[in-house]
């Protein structure tokens, strides 16, 4: 079927749903369009109901590997014409899930490109902040357990700082606690979640992080702006958006305002 | 292929691209979710490059009927599993385009539902504002030429007021002028576009509209809030979002806050 479909950028969303929208929004923002027809073709598949929880799997409290559903949905995107695919969820890039998903995609005969958000971000950090060595990472307990940032950032010559154990736990609650976390309350983010996240950003600043990475796609909703107390904030979703556009249509990328 | 695909809500986006995102956002907002898995499955197909300009076709300055591409994309959504389809563009609901698109969808064997944004809005107006008779409509010149609002609102017993000819022209420029219109500049909307749109809302208020309808999906970006000088503002995208959720999963709809 894929040969009949016009090519497009495919977004594997639902991880969570608003993060999928945020990526598509940032893709549109990369295109210097003056009329509808100038925009690139984009598909968003937001099927959160099909994908088991990522953090629970990585922490061992659920045996269901979300990588299977992620792979199936990527295959559907490819069948519908996606030639470049991205997934706006840092945690889901952890090897135990992503390897399964990409193996499924490859087995389907996909000849396009999957843009890896974490390696793209490592590359972006090296180019944009050449003097930065210590990258403070705010992320889920699942991404911490899988060491997905450590693995890809160390390969790029970067040192990774995480909050301490209590801090990581507070951060996870700020993201996913049903009573006050961002996944349940994003409009607006609760003061409790915002305060908890800012406290962990502060702990990374105090430990002399050169850059703070918003390593969960929910976090830009709580920490806005380009810096935290003078330390640059980097949003991997924004990096992924630019890389997807670059891979699909390099000539139209709007110059990066930084 | 459709029988293999899990059912989902399909959004025909790209008309324009940000309006597609806005509808998906409003669909998510209808769902009282406390974790990712509580959200409904949604697909967004944003292929603005495939769809010729709607207003130009309706005004006779382009012979290319966008209804053909709209129909093809709806068929692709259906093939990918969409059982309920919506299209966040008021102008595209004009009969010369929509009839062609829906004929194509029907010919494909689609057995799901297309939710018609304008008739859904007429129904919403009658239920939510039972005393309202005069509906002031801000829309494109294309929607005015096709009389899509007049047709469906009169059928519901409502009177329709439009801005005068100069006002409609000013409104069209505020929407699509490449130099200052919302389609080219939406973050933020330019002061020139905002002022022009407010002036037309004011003219409808002065003519004693009971409700003002934001009859182009770009307009909620410029006229925010629930009323204009005390006259209720109605956003058809929000109505469509609720109807899509209701059609797909009636039990989970979040109570309407108004």
């Amino acid at each position: 079927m894929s040969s009949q479909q016009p090519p497009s950028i495919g977004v594997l969303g639902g991880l969570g749903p608003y993060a999928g929208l945020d990526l598509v929004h940032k893709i549109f923002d990369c295109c210097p369009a003056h009329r509808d027809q100038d925009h690139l073709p984009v598909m968003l598949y937001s099927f959160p109901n099909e994908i088991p929880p990522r953090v629970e799997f990585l922490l061992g409290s659920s045996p269901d590997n979300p990588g299977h559903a992620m792979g199936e949905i990527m295959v559907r995107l490819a069948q519908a014409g996606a030639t470049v695919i991205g997934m706006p969820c840092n945690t889901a890039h952890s090897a135990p899930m992503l390897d399964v998903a990409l193996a499924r995609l490859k087995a389907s005969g996909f000849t396009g490109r999957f843009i890896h958000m974490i390696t793209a971000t490592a590359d972006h950090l090296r180019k944009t902040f050449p003097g930065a060595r210590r990258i403070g990472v705010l992320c889920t307990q699942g991404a911490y357990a899988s060491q997905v940032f450590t693995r890809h950032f160390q390969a790029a010559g970067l040192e990774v700082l995480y909050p301490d154990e209590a801090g990581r736990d507070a951060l996870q609650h700020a993201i996913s606690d049903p009573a006050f976390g961002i996944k349940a309350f994003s409009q607006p983010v609760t003061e409790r979640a915002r305060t908890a996240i800012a406290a962990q950003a502060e702990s990374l600043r105090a430990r002399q992080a050169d850059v703070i990475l918003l390593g969960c796609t929910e976090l830009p909703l709580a920490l806005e702006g380009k810096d935290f107390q003078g330390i640059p904030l980097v949003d991997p979703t924004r990096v992924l958006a630019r890389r997807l556009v670059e891979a699909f249509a390099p000539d139209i990328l709007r110059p990066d305002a930084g």
Side-chain angles (χ1 to χ4, degrees), chain A:
Chain A
M1 174 172 170
S2 61
S3 61
Q4 304 162 16
Q5 309 291 329
S8 62
I9 295 172
V11 173
L12 169 53
L15 306 149
Y18 291 101
L21 280 184
D22 186 42
L23 174 60
V24 179
H25 204 293
K26 285 167 178 162
I27 291 171
F28 292 166
D29 289 348
C30 288
C31 304
H34 286 273
R35 40 176 219 141
D36 293 345
Q37 288 74 19
D38 297 335
H39 278 279
L40 295 180
V42 177
M43 289 185 293
L44 169 66
Y45 278 20
S46 184
F47 301 144
N49 54 324
E50 294 184 39
I51 308 173
R54 282 78 64 199
V55 172
E56 287 80 344
F57 171 71
L58 289 170
L59 297 182
S61 61
S62 163
D64 301 327
N65 188 335
H68 298 289
M70 287 158 43
E72 287 302 321
I73 297 168
M74 285 201 262
V75 169
R76 281 188 246 154
L77 279 167
Q79 286 172 339
T83 55
V84 177
I85 295 177
M87 176 174 69
C89 176
N90 293 276
T91 305
H93 282 73
S94 298
M97 295 181 281
L98 188 62
D99 290 354
V100 166
L102 293 184
R104 174 74 187 88
L105 181 61
K106 190 176 176 190
S108 75
F110 179 65
T111 56
R113 289 176 64 189
F114 173 81
I115 307 292
H116 191 293
M117 182 160 66
I118 315 282
T119 57
T121 298
D123 188 51
H124 171 81
L125 287 168
R126 285 198 310 138
K127 287 182 182 154
T128 312
F129 304 99
R133 282 291 162 270
R134 297 160 71 86
I135 311 299
V137 174
L138 299 173
C139 65
T140 65
Q141 288 282 37
Y144 176 78
S146 77
Q147 294 284 295
V148 60
F149 291 105
T150 306
R151 175 182 165 197
H152 295 293
F153 284 14
Q154 281 185 351
L158 299 165
E159 183 187 341
V160 182
L161 297 180
Y162 295 98
D164 61 19
E165 192 175 330
R168 293 193 303 272
D169 190 54
L171 198 53
Q172 182 67 57
H173 278 279
I175 292 167
S176 62
D177 194 297
F180 65 92
I182 303 176
K183 284 186 184 288
F185 300 95
S186 62
Q187 300 170 83
V189 171
T190 66
E191 199 50 42
R192 185 169 171 189
R194 202 179 289 275
T195 303
I197 292 162
Q200 296 317 310
E202 172 56 30
S203 79
L204 295 173
R205 191 194 66 75
R207 287 161 63 201
Q208 302 184 315
D210 298 313
V211 171
I212 294 175
L213 189 83
L214 302 172
C216 169
T217 51
E218 313 290 341
L219 295 175
L221 298 175
L223 276 189
E224 290 148 354
K226 295 200 169 179
D227 71 282
F228 177 83
Q229 315 272 0
I231 312 293
L233 290 173
V234 168
D235 171 9
T237 302
R238 190 160 179 276
V239 175
L240 178 60
R242 293 186 61 81
R243 289 300 174 95
L244 289 167
V245 170
E246 198 170 42
F248 188 82
D251 294 342
I252 76 148
L253 196 63
R254 187 194 285 270
D256 194 352

